[in-house]
Amino acid sequence: MKIYRIGGSSIDSIEKIKSVANVLRDDAPKVVVLSAPSETVISLQRIAACFFSREIEKAHEAITRLEFKIFEFLNNLLNTEGIRERALNYILSCLRVIWTFARETLKPIEEKQIVAQGELITSALFSFYLEEQGVKNTFLLSTEFLKKGTDRNLDMNYLKSRLKDILLVHKDTPTLITQGNICVNAYGRIDNLNNKESNYSAFSIGTAIEAEEVKIWKDTDSICSANSAK
């Protein structure tokens, strides 16, 4: 099994998604760890800031702009009606999470739940695209196995135990898609790792399942290159 860590800049356009997907077409077992494009993350952080300051109208405008960009991206990425409809329903469920915070004062921990929707949407779209291309894959929520302990570090015993069960359930699926920045804290609330720690989560997953290799993808002039580290 190999781990592919793919940053948001490597999949922030239709062309880049297609380029990365072409490399993942083989049936070799792999876990693909994705981040959201920085533009999406920044948009969500601004939306959260508007909710904090109770600038609700400004937040509504920002969410509407983000929705338009995501829907346009989806329509240009996916061609199969059934898959597109499922992708749309998933995206709408993520957007509904964001909209719920318009009704009440936002707590600091809840900002992370808003920002997490970007990575969930990004990884789901990538999974749906692979499916449309005939690449068998399973979409996994990282919150099912990435958990911080009270020391704020990932709980490796929890990670190993959960991944063992998950891999057993999905043993016939060669490609598993998940997120690199989203986790839960020691109390079960949505938390996140900052972008610099995304590689940390990928290497932690690799260590937990004793992966053959961890590949860290970097984007240079719209061309994806892989640096591997065992």
Side-chain angles (χ1 to χ4, degrees):
M1 168 121 6
K2 293 183 179 180
I3 311 298
Y4 288 82
R5 162 75 181 104
I6 301 174
S9 62
S10 295
I11 49 172
D12 61 3
S13 71
I14 304 294
E15 293 74 19
K16 290 180 183 180
I17 285 182
K18 292 179 177 180
S19 177
V20 172
N22 282 334
V23 179
L24 303 176
R25 287 180 176 275
D26 62 78
D27 291 331
K30 64 184 74 67
V31 178
V32 182
V33 182
L34 298 169
S35 290
S38 58
E39 183 179 359
T40 301
V41 174
I42 292 171
S43 294
L44 291 167
Q45 289 173 335
R46 287 174 177 168
I47 290 167
C50 289
F51 283 145
F52 270 127
S53 59
R54 303 309 296 162
E55 297 177 279
I56 303 304
E57 184 175 344
K58 189 174 180 180
H60 283 192
E61 293 173 356
I63 298 172
T64 300
R65 287 195 298 271
L66 180 61
E67 287 178 339
F68 178 81
K69 290 180 180 179
I70 293 173
F71 293 150
E72 182 180 32
F73 196 91
L74 180 153
N75 288 327
N76 290 327
L77 178 67
L78 302 174
N79 299 310
T80 306
E81 184 176 350
I83 294 178
R84 186 189 296 164
E85 182 177 356
R86 286 163 49 213
L88 177 60
N89 287 336
Y90 185 83
I91 289 171
L92 288 173
S93 70
C94 292
L95 292 172
R96 280 194 292 271
V97 171
I98 299 172
W99 280 109
T100 58
F101 295 104
R103 298 194 294 265
E104 56 189 47
T105 302
L106 187 71
K107 300 179 179 66
I109 189 66
E110 292 172 335
E111 177 193 8
K112 297 178 180 180
Q113 190 170 347
I114 291 175
V115 175
Q117 304 312 308
E119 200 160 276
L120 291 172
I121 290 172
T122 300
S123 51
L125 279 174
F126 191 78
S127 175
F128 282 120
Y129 178 73
L130 287 182
E131 179 183 346
E132 187 176 68
Q133 298 303 305
V135 179
K136 187 177 181 182
N137 74 94
T138 294
F139 177 78
L140 299 177
L141 294 175
S142 58
T143 50
E144 295 181 355
F145 51 87
L146 290 182
K147 179 180 180 181
K148 288 182 178 179
T150 53
D151 61 356
R152 302 289 295 169
N153 293 317
L154 286 178
D155 185 332
M156 289 303 295
N157 289 329
Y158 180 83
L159 177 58
K160 290 178 182 179
S161 175
R162 292 294 297 130
L163 281 180
K164 180 180 179 181
D165 293 338
I166 290 170
L167 292 178
L168 184 60
V169 170
H170 300 291
K171 57 182 173 49
D172 296 325
T173 305
T175 302
L176 304 177
I177 308 294
T178 194
Q179 307 81 44
N181 290 322
I182 309 172
C183 62
V184 294
N185 61 23
Y187 309 101
R189 298 291 301 273
I190 294 292
D191 205 336
N192 58 42
L193 305 165
N194 62 46
N195 289 330
K196 293 181 179 179
E197 292 179 307
S198 298
N199 293 349
Y200 164 54
S201 65
F203 278 107
S204 295
I205 292 170
T207 299
I209 63 176
E210 298 181 353
E212 174 190 352
E213 191 174 29
V214 177
K215 288 181 175 289
I216 308 299
W217 287 66
K218 295 183 179 179
D219 183 76
T220 305
D221 298 329
S222 298
I223 299 175
C224 291
S225 61
N227 295 327
S228 61
K230 293 184 179 181

